[in-house]
Amino acid sequence: MWSLAMQTPPGRLCNCATRQMQHSFPKPLCRAGGTVMAVSTASMVSYRLQSRKIRTGDISDTSARRAAFMSRRMLRALAQSEDPDAYAAHACSQGSGNAGASALASLDLEGVAKYIKSGNCKSIVVLTGAGVSTGAGIPDFRSPGGMYDTLQPDLITATDMQRAKMQADPTWVVMRSMFFENQFPYLEVRRPFILGTYQQQWKATLSHWFMKFLEEEGLLTRIYTQNIDGLDYQTGLSPELVCNVHGSLGQVHCEYCGAGMPLDKFCSEVRAKIKDIYGIDDAAPAESSNILCQNCGHPCVKPSTVLFGSSLPSDFFDRSSADLPKADLLIIAGTSLVVAPANSVVTMVRSDCPRLIVNRERVGQDLGIRYGPDASRDVFVGDRPCDEVFFEMIQLLGWHHRLHAVRDRLPQQNKALVANL
């Protein structure tokens, strides 16, 4: 095991403001993005009032203080951008979930489908989480039976102290500080996921194909995916339409110096040097050994996924501030909306922009999403998998022919769903 100890990669330290936020924010949020920039909530009062309360210490609720502080940072960033309309739209969107008149005839899936077909919906933005990929057989991280729930630290190459941390909180496996101490927890836990993705063991789901159909109709502005599986690209979706908020397994780089490594070479190294803690690969080595960077020599090579405590790619901030204020429909699919700053897209659309929430549970109430009689623009379709919802949406939109053309490329679970198409 190789450790950087107190060493830090040149030019990659979080700034003082980031460290201060990481100490003062609740842990689930401070781990999510390092230099978290865009955490805001639509349920807060006006920006000016919140800012004044922060200065005078009148806000006692931690969430409200965090939301107001992060909204102020986003507003300042937008104000300094070259798009004053985006700034104005974001400022106006910081109201309750009921603000603005909805463009939907009814707050259900039929109402959303009619709106999409009306010609008035020209720009659709989608935020996706693990729920859109579970139909492919990819394990979820946070759900019961998921990777965090079934983690066995005793099997991982680590010190007793490191194992204790992972036992108390499995997310330590993907923490930046842990990776620079010991790279093996990340690589050993992710080994089957890395190799399975490279071999295309999992196939794009109905949910992914629905987004491809949106592109074919000229309606898709961007997908903001929190997933790292790269399944969006299997449908032939244009890469420029995908923003990988947390990075992707499809690229590899060194966390220390930033140098890249060819994916096929990295996967060969993983197969030969990283042990299999799941007991599914008889050819795996009995013990793990370091994968060294060809540029700097440090063993910090990994897929280009964002570790907790690291900065998000600037691509997310640049694109979201331009895309969201102009969106005519926001689709939120398969995500708990607890990870910042990805969840901030919920509050960045206009106050009259409909929001379709496709998730098993109700989410985002603290971000201003409204359910039941309080809803005026938010449509919730829950209690069933994302793939079932988007299959119904495809039918409502009359896109059967598109789905029929790709039915043989669907994962087995989805094939059963469309058997009678």
Side-chain angles (χ1 to χ4, degrees), residues 355-377:
R355 300 181 292 198
L356 172 62
I357 300 91
V358 182
N359 201 63
R360 285 188 177 274
E361 301 86 23
R362 297 185 176 191
V363 295
Q365 291 96 324
D366 59 328
L367 296 167
I369 295 178
R370 298 291 178 258
Y371 296 91
D374 292 333
S376 67
R377 59 160 172 157

Side-chain angles (χ1 to χ4, degrees), residues 53-54 57-70:
K53 286 185 176 182
I54 286 178
D58 290 340
I59 297 181
S60 58
D61 179 73
T62 302
S63 297
R65 289 180 61 83
R66 180 178 66 250
F69 173 67
M70 300 313 293

